[in-house]
């Protein structure tokens, strides 16, 4: 088992470490710039180029049925799901094969509205509830993967 983290804007890195240590699961923090990580044998940092989608490409190439991918990026989530990975948003909501199509469509609509000059609000502020939901979702995902053998 392995946790792959799209880390540049990830607000739950500390929570990921906490759950990973408890389950003794490897974590790879993937970013375009150096991010501080705990000095721990289960934690690895990968710094990719600042090229467009470099971190996404690195993660998607390594996602598989034994991976949990953490990302808020809907297109990366889609790629990881297609590779068989479990995918969680930082707010704890899972991306699934049945929900990803709607998420991609909504993303496209919002991009069109922004391009047309419409003022569109961003996501709600990250909350303690989101953090709690994420901790629970990551724990459940790792338990599910472990049961699958």
């Amino acid at each position: 088992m392995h946790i792959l983290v799209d880390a540049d804007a990830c607000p739950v890195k500390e929570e990921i470490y906490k759950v990973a240590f408890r389950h003794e699961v490897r974590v790879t923090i993937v970013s375009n710039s150096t991010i501080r990580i705990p000095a721990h044998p289960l934690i690895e940092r990968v710094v990719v180029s600042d090229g467009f989608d470099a971190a996404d490409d690195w993660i998607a190439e390594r996602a598989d049925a034994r991976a949990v991918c953490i990302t808020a990026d809907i297109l990366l989530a889609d790629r990881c799901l297609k590779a068989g990975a479990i995918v969680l948003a930082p707010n704890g909501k899972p991306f699934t094969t049945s929900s990803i199509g709607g998420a991609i469509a909504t993303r496209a609509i919002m991009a069109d509205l922004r391009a047309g000059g419409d003022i569109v609000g961003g996501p709600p502020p990250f909350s303690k509830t989101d953090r709690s939901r994420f901790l629970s979702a990551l724990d459940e995902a790792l338990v599910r993967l472990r049961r699958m053998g």
Side-chain angles (χ1 to χ4, degrees):
M1 295 189 317
H2 192 184
I3 301 171
L4 298 166
V5 183
D6 183 8
D8 282 313
C10 181
V12 289
K13 289 186 280 292
E14 293 302 319
E15 289 77 5
I16 293 167
Y17 304 145
K18 183 175 168 180
V19 175
F21 295 159
R22 188 170 61 241
H23 286 274
E24 297 182 356
V25 174
R26 292 180 305 124
V27 176
T28 303
I29 299 293
V30 185
S31 62
N32 297 110
S33 59
T34 301
I35 291 177
R36 286 187 36 201
I37 63 169
H40 193 283
L42 288 174
I43 309 297
E44 173 190 17
R45 175 180 42 222
V46 173
V47 179
V48 296
S49 76
D50 60 359
F52 185 72
D53 281 349
D56 294 3
D57 291 343
W58 195 97
I59 292 167
E61 288 166 10
R62 288 156 183 84
D64 61 23
R66 301 292 295 151
V68 177
C69 299
I70 313 299
T71 185
D73 182 317
I74 294 165
L75 298 181
L76 174 58
D78 184 46
R79 293 171 69 186
C80 293
L81 284 170
K82 287 176 178 168
I86 294 173
V87 185
L88 298 174
N91 64 7
K93 293 185 179 170
F95 288 102
T96 65
T97 53
S98 57
S99 71
I100 196 73
I104 291 170
T106 300
R107 178 186 180 277
I109 290 167
M110 298 305 278
D112 286 348
L113 288 172
R114 283 190 297 274
D118 291 313
I119 308 287
V120 182
F126 196 74
S127 70
K128 287 182 181 178
T129 305
D130 293 328
R131 203 171 296 284
S132 176
R133 185 185 314 118
F134 177 79
L135 277 166
S136 180
L138 180 56
D139 192 69
E140 289 171 21
L142 293 174
V143 168
R144 197 165 62 241
L145 269 183
R146 182 154 283 134
R147 282 190 190 132
M148 293 167 58

